Amino acid sequence: MKCRIICHMISSIDGRLKTARWTKPFIKTDISTVYDEAANLYHYDGWIIGRKTMSELDDSISEKESSLTDVIVDRLPFIGDFSGKKLGIVFDLKGKLHYKTCLLPSGEHIVAVVSPNVKSEYLDELKQVGVSYIFAKDGYEAIAEVIRDLEKYFAVKNLLLEGGGAVNGSFLKAKLINEFSILVYPSVDGMSGIDSIVNYQGEDKSDIPGKGAQLHLLTCEKFSGDVVLLRYAVSYAD
């Protein structure tokens, strides 16, 4: 696999992701601005997020009940007209998200990763608005195949993995994260039960998702507002 996966996240100093819960920093800094500034270091072809995160990006995206069916048929991916645009890739296996356009307000072309047993009507709906879709079975084992399809159909070389924690956890379990790019915002959450950068949700809780992962510090850089960017290369021991 040639595509490089960079887990790019911003969190409080205790690794929490819910920005509304963070304490106020000593120096006020716009979170989105500093996050995008760091992301632009990577010359990425697109980013990967989960369903919940995608539903929060655009008010025009609605979330409804699952579009799964019990019938699994042999289906082919649909590749819309992305015309060299960056990709907004969303893991929505149950087909809950509904779109009015194939482009996000920030300009990315939407690629939905869905289960092969979603309803045909749902796929027709995606195709009608131009949203690309590829297929993935449930479980972390299928992620490598998804990345190979993204390489095949979209020629991606660098992708940012931007969570949430469950999606990041699945990628870590699959040993597909090549680098962690973590912006530490000078705030603290302090509460339990809140999603963190990696929040693996596999059934076997005794199986550590990061087992074998070895991190090597690449850079440590200070951004505006006392935000610190930590970059770690990830290798995996056999």
Side-chain angles (χ1 to χ4, degrees):
M1 192 171 299
K2 298 179 181 179
C3 181
R4 184 170 180 81
I5 307 296
I6 302 162
C7 184
H8 180 61
M9 302 291 290
I10 187 166
S11 77
S12 59
I13 64 167
D14 50 343
R16 306 301 186 184
L17 303 181
K18 297 291 185 181
T19 58
R21 299 172 56 95
W22 297 354
T23 56
K24 294 182 179 180
F26 184 75
I27 303 174
K28 186 177 181 180
T29 302
D30 183 72
I31 294 175
S32 297
T33 299
V34 70
Y35 182 84
D36 291 342
E37 181 183 352
N40 288 333
L41 296 172
Y42 301 109
H43 307 289
Y44 59 95
D45 302 304
W47 40 255
I48 302 168
I49 58 177
R51 171 180 54 82
K52 291 182 180 179
T53 306
M54 177 63 93
S55 67
E56 297 171 353
L57 288 184
D58 185 356
D59 292 339
S60 71
I61 299 175
S62 60
E63 184 171 349
K64 301 179 182 178
E65 63 183 19
S66 171
S67 297
L68 290 182
T69 175
D70 293 333
V71 180
I72 301 177
V73 298
D74 187 20
R75 287 169 165 155
L76 296 176
F78 169 72
I79 310 303
D81 182 15
F82 62 100
S83 302
K85 296 182 176 63
K86 291 185 185 297
L87 305 178
I89 304 158
V90 54
F91 274 74
D92 179 24
L93 297 187
K94 295 182 179 180
K96 290 187 174 184
L97 297 182
H98 298 261
Y99 310 89
K100 293 184 178 180
T101 174
C102 65
L103 296 178
L104 291 166
S106 48
E108 292 88 352
H109 174 77
I110 300 170
V111 180
V113 181
V114 298
S115 169
N117 63 325
V118 292
K119 295 178 181 178
S120 297
E121 293 83 356
Y122 180 72
L123 297 179
D124 290 341
E125 178 186 317
L126 296 181
K127 188 180 296 186
Q128 185 175 3
V129 296
V131 171
S132 297
Y133 56 78
I134 58 178
F135 298 100
K137 298 177 182 178
D138 201 4
Y140 70 88
E141 300 92 341
I143 297 178
E145 185 175 347
V146 170
I147 300 303
R148 283 191 288 268
D149 280 348
L150 290 169
E151 290 177 325
K152 177 181 178 180
Y153 295 111
F154 299 95
V156 295
K157 296 181 180 179
N158 292 287
L159 292 174
L160 299 184
L161 176 63
E162 300 183 324
V167 171
N168 293 346
S170 295
F171 270 76
L172 180 61
K173 175 65 176 175
K175 302 184 186 302
L176 290 177
I177 296 178
N178 302 110
E179 181 178 330
F180 277 103
S181 167
I182 307 300
L183 285 158
V184 182
Y185 197 77
S187 296
V188 64
D189 182 311
M191 295 294 291
S192 62
I194 304 299
D195 267 5
S196 57
I197 295 169
V198 177
N199 189 31
Y200 180 63
Q201 297 182 358
E203 294 182 1
D204 186 359
K205 300 301 182 182
S206 65
D207 190 6
I208 301 173
K211 185 177 180 180
Q214 298 176 331
L215 276 63
H216 172 69
L217 182 65
L218 296 174
T219 62
C220 177
E221 182 178 354
K222 182 179 177 181
F223 280 65
S224 60
D226 289 340
V227 177
V228 175
L229 173 63
L230 300 172
R231 295 180 60 183
Y232 285 89
V234 184
S235 58
Y236 297 93
D238 296 333

